[in-house]
Structure formats: C-alpha cells, structure tokens
Amino acid sequence: MNDMGDSCYQLIKVRPLSSAVGAEISGVDLADCDDATFSEIHRAFLDHHVVFFRDQALSLESHKSFGRRFGTLNVHPQYVPLEGHPEILPIVKEADAEHNIGGVWHSDITFLERPALGSILYAIDVPAVGGDTLFANQELAFEGLSSGFQQLLNGLRAVHSDHTLSDRVEAEKRNMTRSTKLSEEAMCKPAVENPHPVVRTHPETGRKSLFVNRAFTVRFENMTVAESDPLLEFLYEQATRPEFTCRFHWEKGSVAIWDNRCVQHYALNDYHGQRRYMHRVTVNGDRPI
Ligand code: SIN
C-alpha cells in the first residue's frame, strides 16, 4: 500500500481499515459517479487493494454499469446466475442453509486462464450479527519472505482447478447444503485446469504478489500433489497471516470492491439461522504473468 492519506484525494474521503489492506471510501454515490470521481476510486482501489462503501443503492443495471468501468463482466462458469442477468451472481445463504460460498481463503475463479481482475459485492440482506469478510494482502505476503525463498518461488508455476466439480456426488452434496447453486451445465463439464505463476506481477502497478490459494490451487506444475502439498501449505499460512489482513462488517447497502490480482478473501460462516443475500459482479482480468 502507498502511504497515501486522505489529502491525496479531492473528491472522495479515504480511511484505511488496517495498516495492511483495505480502506473505506465516503462521499460517493456509486450509482451516479462521474469520470473524475471514478478515477479517484480507481486510484484508491490500486493503493488499498480492497475498498468499501456504505449506504449505496445499486439497481441491477447500475451495479453492472459501475462494474464495466473496470472492464468486461464475467459470467460465472460454475454457479447459477440471477435470472435474466447472467453477469450478476447471487451470493446467498438462506437461514436454513449449512454452508456459505467463499468460506475458504481464495481469489476468485483462478482456475480460468484469465482469472478475475476484481469483484464488486453489494449487500442487500445481512445478518444482525456475523457474516463479515476477511481480506489478505498478497503483496505483503510475498514481501514478508526471505530473498532466497522469493527467488525460488519466482521460478515456479502452480496448477489451479475447479476440482470440486470433478466429483459429481460431492457437487450434488454441495448443492444440498448451499443456497448459491452449481449449475447443471457446470457439473457435466470436465474440470478446468490452468497453470499460473506462483508470484504474479500486477499489470497496473508492477508490484509482485503471491498467487496461490487453498480453494483452487492443486499442485505445482510438473510436480505431484504429494510433492507440492508441504510447500503449498506453508504458502497458504504465509498468505493469510493476521497482520496482512483486514475484516469488513457488512450493513445493508455496503459495497466492497476487491482486487483479485493481489488479495485473497474469506467469507465467515458464523451466522447460522440468519439470511445473508448479496449480488456480485465480477470483472474479467488478464493472463497472470
Ligand atoms: C465471495 O465472493 O467469495 C464471497 C464473499 C462474501 O460473501 O463475503
């Protein structure tokens, strides 16, 4: 994160949430945001990696059109979208559901050849208590390693896969305990696998970050799962050390925009018996280098 205070912004107010990652932005209506304001939001997004807004009122169309300011929108390859709006993914946990979506540290859809640039999550119905989301800065995770270890990682690539779909019985079980459903079409397709560098360079800032995650990374390229597991475990621990994180508490109308190229996130499942309903728009990214 750059050492950028509020004074660097003319049109928005920016308040960091932790010294590692994340800032809350105020003074903005995302449904009606001019180019100059968007340019400051974009700068804050690159500086803080995840930015948060309160009291927003996003229609389906304004959510999508705000997302398009960052790039083209993704249609999620696994989950059933909102009817009539393929680019909107409902992130739902009904009061009687057991599991949530995103309850493991991850970066979105890294199994694709071109994983997501960013995700924009809008809270419509939130539990009275719980349901926070944690974010972890992957640049700090990389910078916190010794130079020798950094060098070793620089030469490695890891395979990412949507492997949870490869077992039909498991996939059906997931659908029974979660409210956001895997689509029938996705469950019939073979698992998608793509290798990515273990250390990626951010295409806009040039900064390096760790790029492996517990949800989708399965092994190092040209190595077995057994050979890869010990080092991957070490990297997952490093990636999510508490001092690299922030925690966001949702209210109705809150919005979070995170940079999947340099943060991981984790949705807490600690609000059993209560409903949580969000809409996510995901922006397509480029091939990690
Ligand atoms: C996700 O996009 O992984 C879910 C995040 C959340 O529900 O807080």
Side-chain angles (χ1 to χ4, degrees):
M1 174 173 48
N2 292 350
D3 189 15
M4 289 193 140
D6 219 5
S7 56
C8 298
Y9 301 96
Q10 253 99 57
L11 304 169
I12 60 175
K13 280 198 162 53
V14 179
R15 186 179 64 88
L17 221 69
S18 80
S19 59
V21 66
E24 193 162 317
I25 297 182
S26 53
V28 173
D29 176 1
L30 295 179
D32 180 22
C33 161
D34 60 25
D35 289 349
T37 306
F38 178 73
S39 154
E40 290 203 354
I41 293 171
H42 188 247
R43 186 147 53 82
F45 167 76
L46 293 180
D47 286 342
H48 296 278
H49 312 319
V50 50
V51 287
F52 307 104
F53 304 80
R54 299 285 184 195
D55 302 320
Q56 300 296 312
L58 290 182
S59 66
L60 300 175
E61 290 310 323
S62 58
H63 192 173
K64 286 190 276 189
S65 59
F66 184 73
R68 284 195 190 100
R69 284 180 168 268
F70 288 86
T72 58
L73 301 187
N74 175 264
V75 175
H76 200 284
Q78 292 177 322
Y79 293 117
V80 178
L82 192 69
E83 205 178 336
H85 298 272
E87 306 96 335
I88 294 191
L89 175 65
I91 304 267
V92 194
K93 184 173 175 250
E94 296 295 353
D96 60 355
E98 191 180 340
H99 296 299
N100 64 345
I101 295 294
V104 58
W105 280 106
H106 68 288
S107 171
D108 293 322
I109 48 178
T110 61
F111 49 84
L112 296 182
E113 185 188 356
R114 294 165 190 271
L117 177 158
S119 303
I120 304 171
L121 189 61
Y122 172 50
I124 294 168
D125 195 3
V126 295
V129 181
D132 295 357
T133 307
L134 311 179
F135 295 87
N137 182 335
Q138 299 306 289
E139 290 177 359
L140 292 183
F142 178 66
E143 286 160 20
L145 297 166
S146 66
S147 58
F149 201 62
Q150 287 180 347
Q151 253 176 327
L152 171 91
L153 295 179
N154 272 326
L156 289 177
R157 288 162 67 80
V159 175
H160 297 237
S161 165
D162 58 350
H163 55 104
T164 45
L165 286 185
S166 56
D167 181 336
R168 176 79 198 199
V169 176
E170 274 308 307
E172 278 171 6
K173 254 197 242 164
R174 272 178 70 97
N175 268 358
M176 272 154 49
T177 62
R178 286 178 176 79
S179 311
T180 297
K181 303 294 184 192
L182 296 164
S183 70
E184 186 55 38
E185 193 194 345
M187 287 197 286
C188 291
K189 282 188 185 155
V192 174
E193 276 199 359
N194 277 293
H196 296 304
V198 169
V199 180
R200 77 176 287 185
T201 303
H202 196 289
E204 294 183 82
T205 66
R207 297 182 61 149
K208 289 187 167 198
S209 58
L210 268 188
F211 197 64
V212 289
N213 70 82
R214 201 178 272 290
F216 303 125
T217 310
V218 287
R219 60 183 173 80
F220 295 108
E221 194 176 38
N222 303 322
M223 297 189 203
T224 66
V225 170
E227 288 164 344
S228 308
D229 269 352
L231 183 49
L232 283 175
E233 270 306 316
F234 172 83
L235 294 177
Y236 298 152
E237 287 294 311
Q238 170 72 6
T240 57
R241 275 169 49 186
E243 56 270 40
F244 302 151
T245 69
C246 74
R247 175 173 180 150
F248 183 64
H249 176 66
W250 295 91
E251 296 165 358
K252 184 175 159 56
S254 300
V255 172
I257 310 174
W258 61 85
D259 189 336
N260 281 295
R261 301 165 294 187
C262 57
V263 295
Q264 290 196 46
H265 56 286
Y266 182 115
L268 286 165
N269 182 21
D270 60 349
Y271 51 96
H272 303 294
Q274 300 178 77
R275 181 173 200 251
R276 184 177 184 270
Y277 184 90
M278 319 268 205
H279 281 170
R280 193 179 94 189
V281 156
T282 309
V283 182
N284 290 316
D286 41 22
R287 186 182 299 122
I289 49 168

